[in-house]
Amino acid sequence: MVNVIWVVLAVSGIVYAAFNGTMEQVNEAIFETIDESILITMSLLGVLVFWLGLMKIAEEAGLLKGLAKLFKPVVRRLFPEIPADDPAMGYILSNMTANIFGLGNAATPMGLKAMKELKRLSGGSTEASRSMITLLAINTSSLTIVPTTVIAIRMKYESVEPTTIIGPTILATLISTMAAILIDRYFYYRRRRLGSIL
Amino acid sequence: MSIWLIPAIILIILVTATAKRVPAYEVFVEGSKEGFQIAISLLPYLLGMMVSIAIFQASGAMDAFLHLFKPLTAVFNIPEQILPLAMVRPISGTAALSMTTELIRTFGPDSLIGQMASVMQGSTDTTLYIITVYFGAVGIKKMGDALKVGLLADLVGIIASIIIVLILFS
């Protein structure tokens, strides 16, 4: 699916540009985006090095295990394939906690490290495991409590009440996160059903 | 409160580690190296996806595509200006943010459209970016149902944002 999306986006863009005289903008965009992706990688590099270093200390000091133990009943149901005291669980929980507190730049490193641990659990396969898909579903629906960026924009354009959207945002996030978990479950059982027929 | 959060986390980790006689600095350096490796290995995934989206956007094809869906808004009785944002939100974070800013600037932050854009922007994330980065970082090539699950959850989130704002603010 991702192959198709990737090719269709680029090809339809180029064909469209050929007929609408926007080839110059396309050329510009290609090289600007290459630079931009390097910038994003570099800023990720910084937070990754910092947080993964710090989280390694937390892991060795037993803090991640403690966190995993604390939330065991909830996450075991979400991630039934992960052994209860595996470090993967600690990183998944750190990722979710950082997301909830709006620490976006800490959430990504912890999520990526969790993915790495999940890859180890699935024996280094290049295929996405069940737990990986669940982790992604939770992350893409975003668990933010305080949408700081949006509030900043609202303040800039002189909103009378810049924070009125916090309540509705939390509600919408809750609904989409629950939907993500349910949809993820649905597809998992569908995969299993199809797998057992084959 | 938020300025205390990160320093507090650092403090707790370092104090606990020292109490348990973990050689903190050595472990930090060891763990950090992994971050370096992850960042470098996700670059090809990120660059590839970003370039493809940029071509689609810069050519004007994206606007034309979004225009096709305008009639839908009349059917569901929602402001038509919100639709492009709803469709772009899962695909491009930067494009969505600039659309949100533009909507808030044009219609005012406290207008129905302004509120709707705010909630939509805040309550969902850029699914394509997250999938690219998370799978890219560990070299997953077969994504399974991840994209479908993410996009369907976005759809639910976007519909929820529209309905919630319609109920609360109109």
Side-chain angles (χ1 to χ4, degrees):
Chain A
M1 193 175 174
V2 73
N3 289 309
V4 177
I5 292 179
W6 192 62
V7 171
V8 166
L9 286 176
V11 170
S12 61
I14 293 169
V15 172
Y16 188 91
F19 287 103
N20 290 279
T22 48
M23 210 52 97
E24 203 186 314
Q25 285 90 313
V26 168
N27 266 305
E28 234 170 70
I30 292 172
F31 293 103
E32 266 172 25
T33 310
I34 292 173
D35 286 352
E36 202 186 313
S37 72
I38 300 290
L39 286 177
I40 293 181
T41 307
M42 283 304 129
S43 69
L44 271 175
L45 178 74
V47 291
L48 273 163
V49 165
F50 176 71
W51 283 105
L52 292 192
L54 205 60
M55 291 311 282
K56 189 81 190 171
I57 307 175
E59 188 187 332
E60 304 252 313
L63 281 167
L64 290 187
K65 261 191 190 150
L67 194 65
K69 221 172 243 165
L70 205 62
F71 291 98
K72 205 168 159 185
V74 190
V75 267
R76 277 200 81 174
R77 243 164 249 178
L78 270 176
F79 297 95
E81 279 180 351
I82 305 174
D85 50 359
D86 195 275
M89 210 56 126
Y91 282 105
I92 288 175
L93 277 163
S94 321
N95 165 261
M96 288 166 76
T97 317
N99 264 322
I100 291 171
F101 286 108
L103 301 174
N105 77 13
T108 311
M110 290 162 192
L112 297 186
K113 173 72 181 176
M115 287 296 278
K116 225 177 159 193
E117 298 291 323
L118 292 178
K119 195 180 181 187
R120 172 181 55 78
L121 285 175
S122 69
S125 158
T126 57
E127 213 168 308
S129 70
R130 176 189 178 185
S131 309
M132 289 177 184
I133 298 174
T134 308
L135 180 63
L136 276 178
I138 293 172
N139 270 282
T140 58
S141 65
S142 121
L143 289 161
T144 331
I145 285 185
V146 184
T148 42
T149 318
V150 177
I151 293 174
I153 298 172
R154 292 171 63 79
M155 284 166 94
K156 190 177 154 207
Y157 291 104
E158 286 155 9
S159 170
V160 188
E161 283 179 289
T163 52
T164 41
I165 51 123
I166 294 181
T169 304
I170 293 175
L171 190 59
T173 296
L174 275 177
I175 293 173
S176 78
T177 304
M178 277 189 298
I181 293 167
L182 292 176
I183 296 167
D184 171 52
R185 274 293 148 102
Y186 167 76
F187 276 106
Y188 168 69
Y189 288 118
R190 202 181 72 141
R191 279 199 301 277
R192 241 183 31 174
R193 222 175 35 238
L194 293 177
S196 65
I197 295 166
L198 288 173
Chain B
M1 183 236 173
S2 60
I3 50 162
W4 287 82
L5 209 52
I6 288 173
I9 295 171
I10 299 174
L11 188 76
I12 292 168
I13 292 175
L14 294 186
V15 169
T16 317
T18 311
K20 296 204 171 165
R21 296 181 190 278
V22 173
Y25 182 66
E26 285 164 38
V27 175
F28 176 83
V29 175
E30 188 196 314
S32 292
K33 283 181 188 150
E34 205 172 8
F36 193 78
Q37 176 205 340
I38 289 176
I40 298 306
S41 65
L42 69 82
L43 177 64
Y45 295 84
L46 192 64
L47 188 150
M49 195 51 83
M50 284 178 66
V51 168
S52 186
I53 293 170
I55 293 173
F56 188 63
Q57 203 184 342
S59 67
M62 189 171 87
D63 286 336
F65 179 74
L66 293 177
H67 201 76
L68 288 178
F69 289 87
K70 280 259 162 88
L72 267 182
T73 52
V75 178
F76 293 107
N77 201 18
I78 49 175
E80 64 166 17
Q81 294 88 344
I82 206 78
L83 188 77
L85 173 63
M87 294 182 69
V88 163
R89 187 73 190 94
I91 303 166
S92 168
T94 42
L97 191 60
S98 66
M99 278 183 187
T100 302
T101 311
E102 191 56 31
L103 287 173
I104 288 177
R105 196 178 65 86
T106 316
F107 298 96
D110 302 310
S111 65
L112 185 69
I113 292 175
Q115 309 272 28
M116 220 175 249
S118 305
V119 174
M120 217 175 256
Q121 175 73 32
S123 68
T124 55
D125 213 324
T126 317
T127 296
L128 201 57
Y129 170 79
I130 291 182
I131 287 190
T132 305
V133 168
Y134 275 56
F135 281 154
V138 291
I140 296 292
K141 292 187 182 99
K142 289 217 160 93
M143 298 183 179
D145 295 319
L147 197 56
K148 267 181 271 180
V149 173
L151 291 178
L152 283 172
D154 285 338
L155 185 67
V156 174
I158 281 162
I159 293 172
S161 314
I162 293 174
I163 294 174
I164 291 167
V165 172
L166 279 177
I167 292 174
L168 290 177
F169 297 110
S170 72

